[in-house]
Amino acid sequence: MVTLEVRQLIFEQVVLLIATGFGLGSLPWVPGTFGSLLGIPLAWWLWGQALTRQLLVITALLAVGVPLCHWASRWLGGGDAAQIVADEYFAFPLVFLGVATTHRWWLLGAGFALYRLFDITKPPPIDFVETIGGGLGIVFDDVLAALLAWLVLRGTQAVWRRP
């Protein structure tokens, strides 16, 4: 019979495993960028889905991500610890929400680069949102970085397609 302590330990280890991107968050160099790479298969799969499904999956990821990042933060000493990368890979698919359904590598690369740029530099209001703290602040700054990248991609597509 498994004791309550053992179940809590297993739960904590599973949360930390997911929150740290299966260990990518523990890399000594740019863990957020490596963690964001986990979002590429999610984004790629969602690209071909209906907009409603995209929204449902992304909403579910973010709804799970907030408490997951909150608990991981508490267990790792507080704040947006560098090891926590679930916020990066859960938010990344937002970059391609409703964007062209053709799988173009250059678009994926541009979206990834824009997302990382905004997440690393944290222009306003991202810098403010991060100060919220807890799981909400940890995840929401990445959501805003993804939305800024999305705006740039959508704007570029609109200009590019003009007659």
Side-chain angles (χ1 to χ4, degrees), residues 18-32:
I18 295 167
T20 61
F22 308 94
L24 291 175
S26 298
L27 292 173
W29 192 64
V30 293

PDB file of all heavy atoms in Angstrom, residues 18-32:
ATOM      1  N   ILE A  18       7.549  17.666 -15.627  1.00  0.00           N
ATOM      2  CA  ILE A  18       6.841  18.394 -16.682  1.00  0.00           C
ATOM      3  C   ILE A  18       7.247  19.866 -16.679  1.00  0.00           C
ATOM      4  O   ILE A  18       7.524  20.453 -17.727  1.00  0.00           O
ATOM      5  CB  ILE A  18       5.312  18.239 -16.512  1.00  0.00           C
ATOM      6  CG1 ILE A  18       4.913  16.775 -16.710  1.00  0.00           C
ATOM      7  CG2 ILE A  18       4.565  19.139 -17.501  1.00  0.00           C
ATOM      8  CD1 ILE A  18       3.502  16.447 -16.271  1.00  0.00           C
ATOM      9  N   ALA A  19       7.314  20.472 -15.484  1.00  0.00           N
ATOM     10  CA  ALA A  19       7.639  21.895 -15.373  1.00  0.00           C
ATOM     11  C   ALA A  19       9.038  22.208 -15.893  1.00  0.00           C
ATOM     12  O   ALA A  19       9.272  23.268 -16.470  1.00  0.00           O
ATOM     13  CB  ALA A  19       7.508  22.367 -13.932  1.00  0.00           C
ATOM     14  N   THR A  20       9.966  21.281 -15.711  1.00  0.00           N
ATOM     15  CA  THR A  20      11.340  21.508 -16.164  1.00  0.00           C
ATOM     16  C   THR A  20      11.571  21.006 -17.587  1.00  0.00           C
ATOM     17  O   THR A  20      12.713  20.924 -18.027  1.00  0.00           O
ATOM     18  CB  THR A  20      12.359  20.840 -15.217  1.00  0.00           C
ATOM     19  OG1 THR A  20      12.132  19.429 -15.199  1.00  0.00           O
ATOM     20  CG2 THR A  20      12.283  21.418 -13.818  1.00  0.00           C
ATOM     21  N   GLY A  21      10.499  20.711 -18.286  1.00  0.00           N
ATOM     22  CA  GLY A  21      10.637  20.266 -19.680  1.00  0.00           C
ATOM     23  C   GLY A  21      11.413  18.974 -19.800  1.00  0.00           C
ATOM     24  O   GLY A  21      12.249  18.820 -20.678  1.00  0.00           O
ATOM     25  N   PHE A  22      11.143  18.038 -18.861  1.00  0.00           N
ATOM     26  CA  PHE A  22      11.787  16.731 -18.872  1.00  0.00           C
ATOM     27  C   PHE A  22      13.305  16.862 -18.784  1.00  0.00           C
ATOM     28  O   PHE A  22      14.046  16.106 -19.403  1.00  0.00           O
ATOM     29  CB  PHE A  22      11.335  15.914 -20.091  1.00  0.00           C
ATOM     30  CG  PHE A  22       9.841  15.856 -20.192  1.00  0.00           C
ATOM     31  CD1 PHE A  22       9.142  16.773 -20.978  1.00  0.00           C
ATOM     32  CD2 PHE A  22       9.115  14.935 -19.460  1.00  0.00           C
ATOM     33  CE1 PHE A  22       7.755  16.757 -21.040  1.00  0.00           C
ATOM     34  CE2 PHE A  22       7.731  14.913 -19.511  1.00  0.00           C
ATOM     35  CZ  PHE A  22       7.044  15.818 -20.308  1.00  0.00           C
ATOM     36  N   GLY A  23      13.734  17.866 -18.029  1.00  0.00           N
ATOM     37  CA  GLY A  23      15.148  18.073 -17.778  1.00  0.00           C
ATOM     38  C   GLY A  23      15.788  19.191 -18.575  1.00  0.00           C
ATOM     39  O   GLY A  23      16.877  19.650 -18.248  1.00  0.00           O
ATOM     40  N   LEU A  24      15.136  19.658 -19.638  1.00  0.00           N
ATOM     41  CA  LEU A  24      15.725  20.724 -20.453  1.00  0.00           C
ATOM     42  C   LEU A  24      15.924  22.009 -19.661  1.00  0.00           C
ATOM     43  O   LEU A  24      16.854  22.773 -19.930  1.00  0.00           O
ATOM     44  CB  LEU A  24      14.862  20.996 -21.693  1.00  0.00           C
ATOM     45  CG  LEU A  24      14.843  19.902 -22.749  1.00  0.00           C
ATOM     46  CD1 LEU A  24      13.853  20.242 -23.857  1.00  0.00           C
ATOM     47  CD2 LEU A  24      16.233  19.678 -23.318  1.00  0.00           C
ATOM     48  N   GLY A  25      15.085  22.251 -18.688  1.00  0.00           N
ATOM     49  CA  GLY A  25      15.214  23.443 -17.867  1.00  0.00           C
ATOM     50  C   GLY A  25      16.436  23.431 -16.965  1.00  0.00           C
ATOM     51  O   GLY A  25      16.819  24.460 -16.415  1.00  0.00           O
ATOM     52  N   SER A  26      17.044  22.279 -16.827  1.00  0.00           N
ATOM     53  CA  SER A  26      18.246  22.173 -16.003  1.00  0.00           C
ATOM     54  C   SER A  26      19.525  22.363 -16.799  1.00  0.00           C
ATOM     55  O   SER A  26      20.616  22.307 -16.226  1.00  0.00           O
ATOM     56  CB  SER A  26      18.276  20.804 -15.313  1.00  0.00           C
ATOM     57  OG  SER A  26      17.155  20.682 -14.464  1.00  0.00           O
ATOM     58  N   LEU A  27      19.400  22.576 -18.092  1.00  0.00           N
ATOM     59  CA  LEU A  27      20.598  22.812 -18.902  1.00  0.00           C
ATOM     60  C   LEU A  27      21.250  24.121 -18.461  1.00  0.00           C
ATOM     61  O   LEU A  27      20.553  25.081 -18.131  1.00  0.00           O
ATOM     62  CB  LEU A  27      20.233  22.867 -20.387  1.00  0.00           C
ATOM     63  CG  LEU A  27      19.761  21.545 -21.002  1.00  0.00           C
ATOM     64  CD1 LEU A  27      19.263  21.754 -22.428  1.00  0.00           C
ATOM     65  CD2 LEU A  27      20.880  20.516 -20.989  1.00  0.00           C
ATOM     66  N   PRO A  28      22.570  24.181 -18.484  1.00  0.00           N
ATOM     67  CA  PRO A  28      23.251  25.381 -17.979  1.00  0.00           C
ATOM     68  C   PRO A  28      23.179  26.587 -18.907  1.00  0.00           C
ATOM     69  O   PRO A  28      23.452  27.709 -18.493  1.00  0.00           O
ATOM     70  CB  PRO A  28      24.704  24.907 -17.830  1.00  0.00           C
ATOM     71  CG  PRO A  28      24.839  23.796 -18.806  1.00  0.00           C
ATOM     72  CD  PRO A  28      23.503  23.130 -18.869  1.00  0.00           C
ATOM     73  N   TRP A  29      22.808  26.384 -20.154  1.00  0.00           N
ATOM     74  CA  TRP A  29      22.825  27.472 -21.124  1.00  0.00           C
ATOM     75  C   TRP A  29      21.458  27.599 -21.783  1.00  0.00           C
ATOM     76  O   TRP A  29      20.929  26.617 -22.298  1.00  0.00           O
ATOM     77  CB  TRP A  29      23.905  27.194 -22.162  1.00  0.00           C
ATOM     78  CG  TRP A  29      24.226  28.344 -23.061  1.00  0.00           C
ATOM     79  CD1 TRP A  29      24.766  29.546 -22.715  1.00  0.00           C
ATOM     80  CD2 TRP A  29      24.005  28.393 -24.466  1.00  0.00           C
ATOM     81  NE1 TRP A  29      24.900  30.334 -23.818  1.00  0.00           N
ATOM     82  CE2 TRP A  29      24.439  29.644 -24.930  1.00  0.00           C
ATOM     83  CE3 TRP A  29      23.485  27.498 -25.400  1.00  0.00           C
ATOM     84  CZ2 TRP A  29      24.369  30.044 -26.248  1.00  0.00           C
ATOM     85  CZ3 TRP A  29      23.415  27.886 -26.717  1.00  0.00           C
ATOM     86  CH2 TRP A  29      23.857  29.149 -27.116  1.00  0.00           C
ATOM     87  N   VAL A  30      20.834  28.749 -21.785  1.00  0.00           N
ATOM     88  CA  VAL A  30      19.526  29.104 -22.357  1.00  0.00           C
ATOM     89  C   VAL A  30      18.444  28.026 -22.172  1.00  0.00           C
ATOM     90  O   VAL A  30      17.861  27.541 -23.132  1.00  0.00           O
ATOM     91  CB  VAL A  30      19.639  29.540 -23.835  1.00  0.00           C
ATOM     92  CG1 VAL A  30      20.389  30.829 -23.957  1.00  0.00           C
ATOM     93  CG2 VAL A  30      20.268  28.473 -24.736  1.00  0.00           C
ATOM     94  N   PRO A  31      18.140  27.680 -20.926  1.00  0.00           N
ATOM     95  CA  PRO A  31      17.135  26.643 -20.703  1.00  0.00           C
ATOM     96  C   PRO A  31      15.760  27.002 -21.259  1.00  0.00           C
ATOM     97  O   PRO A  31      15.026  26.124 -21.726  1.00  0.00           O
ATOM     98  CB  PRO A  31      17.101  26.484 -19.188  1.00  0.00           C
ATOM     99  CG  PRO A  31      17.676  27.749 -18.652  1.00  0.00           C
ATOM    100  CD  PRO A  31      18.656  28.226 -19.676  1.00  0.00           C
ATOM    101  N   GLY A  32      15.387  28.289 -21.238  1.00  0.00           N
ATOM    102  CA  GLY A  32      14.085  28.696 -21.771  1.00  0.00           C
ATOM    103  C   GLY A  32      13.969  28.446 -23.261  1.00  0.00           C
ATOM    104  O   GLY A  32      12.919  28.037 -23.750  1.00  0.00           O
TER     105      GLY A  32
END
